[in-house]
Amino acid sequence: KAGVTQTPRYLIKTRGQQVTLSCSPISGHRSVSWYQQTPGQGLQFLFEYFSETQRNKGNFPGRFSGRQFSNSRSEMNVSTLELGDSALYLCASSLKGSEQYFGPGTRLTVT
Amino acid sequence: DQQVKQNSPSLSVQEGRISILNCDYTNSMFDYFLWYKKYPAEGPTFLISISSIKDKNEDGRFTVFLNKSAKHLSLHIVPSQPGDSAVYFCAASQGGGGSNYKLTFGKGTLLTVNP
């Protein structure tokens, strides 16, 4: 079975721009979660989608949003980028509960 | 407020010996705990988990111990191998692990296993 895939793997954007990241879950997994990893804060939960509905949300500003499509693929959008948004963004899919399977991540650099 | 803490940023052990990675949590609502391993340029890989109704779970060379009264868990790797060198993350969730999809992670411990 193919694992979780994320595109693009690397991205460089300028402050004020917006960005969209994509995630394809493992086949059959309906839950997709997004995490932000930074050196200072570690891995922090952004949000989780299940059957196209956001079920859980972390403590991030409204500039961070997401959606899930009927095929369980998910996108994450960050608007009005700030320097502090530079991070590794990880997507994870799950069939049951907390055992989540992560993709390789998208490295976002904001200049 | 850091609800899951891994107080040792790094740990170095000799090949063949035991590696013990520690994790503390503050939220008494957490009832499901997981360990993930992460290599550079890859996403975290699920290793082993434990429910709060147990105090030990074993899978091959990996054993996780949970001490609920101390709000402490540990991951034992025996014997340690050079391929185990990676960053290990402790994570926790509430809701029994079966229905809660939000994980709270510690900041990780870099394990180096020397040949």
Side-chain angles (χ1 to χ4, degrees), chain A residues 1-84:
Chain A
K1 225 180 219 188
V4 177
T5 57
Q6 292 187 244
T7 56
R9 291 293 309 276
Y10 301 92
L11 205 49
I12 299 175
K13 289 285 189 180
T14 305
R15 267 185 307 176
Q17 288 186 314
Q18 77 163 12
V19 67
T20 299
L21 312 181
S22 182
C23 171
S24 292
I26 292 171
S27 178
H29 288 194
R30 294 168 64 189
S31 168
V32 174
S33 299
W34 288 89
Y35 293 83
Q36 181 196 65
Q37 185 183 16
T38 58
Q41 298 298 320
L43 272 154
Q44 292 188 287
F45 175 80
L46 280 155
F47 29 65
E48 183 248 346
Y49 286 86
F50 184 89
S51 292
E52 303 177 65
T53 301
Q54 186 182 90
R55 290 199 304 189
N56 287 293
K57 190 175 189 309
N59 297 323
F60 278 81
R63 301 185 296 108
F64 292 81
S65 62
R67 58 177 177 168
Q68 186 181 33
F69 302 94
S70 58
N71 61 359
S72 294
R73 191 177 69 84
S74 177
E75 287 181 348
M76 191 193 98
N77 185 274
V78 188
S79 63
T80 320
L81 283 165
E82 300 176 0
L83 294 178

Side-chain angles (χ1 to χ4, degrees), chain B residues 62-73:
Chain B
F62 302 91
T63 303
V64 56
F65 296 92
L66 175 62
N67 183 333
K68 279 179 61 180
S69 60
K71 294 193 179 67
H72 176 84
L73 63 155

Side-chain angles (χ1 to χ4, degrees), chain A residues 31 35 40 55 97-100 103, chain B residues 32 36 43 93 97 100-101 107:
Chain A
S31 168
Y35 293 83
R55 290 199 304 189
S98 300
E99 290 176 19
Q100 300 181 10
Chain B
Y32 198 77
Y36 282 83
S93 70
N100 191 294
Y101 295 69
K107 293 194 176 181

Side-chain angles (χ1 to χ4, degrees), chain B:
Chain B
D1 175 33
Q2 204 179 338
Q3 298 185 64
V4 178
K5 300 178 185 179
Q6 294 177 257
N7 292 319
S8 297
S10 63
L11 174 68
S12 182
V13 299
Q14 286 299 119
E15 181 179 5
R17 307 295 286 266
I18 183 171
S19 295
I20 300 176
L21 297 105
N22 293 303
C23 178
D24 298 295
Y25 62 96
T26 57
N27 188 341
S28 56
M29 298 298 292
F30 288 145
D31 58 9
Y32 198 77
F33 304 90
L34 309 91
W35 285 94
Y36 282 83
K37 177 170 73 172
K38 186 179 185 301
Y39 294 118
E42 294 183 13
T45 301
F46 170 72
L47 265 178
I48 192 169
S49 62
I50 188 168
S51 165
S52 61
I53 62 173
K54 296 185 176 181
D55 55 18
K56 177 183 172 182
N57 189 26
E58 198 170 350
D59 184 0
R61 297 186 297 116
F62 302 91
T63 303
V64 56
F65 296 92
L66 175 62
N67 183 333
K68 279 179 61 180
S69 60
K71 294 193 179 67
H72 176 84
L73 63 155
S74 61
L75 175 68
H76 292 212
I77 306 174
V78 183
S80 302
Q81 300 173 353
D84 295 330
S85 297
V87 177
Y88 287 77
F89 290 97
C90 170
S93 70
Q94 59 189 78
S99 58
N100 191 294
Y101 295 69
K102 175 183 174 180
L103 295 178
T104 301
F105 282 86
K107 293 194 176 181
T109 297
L110 173 62
L111 173 66
T112 302
V113 180
N114 301 301

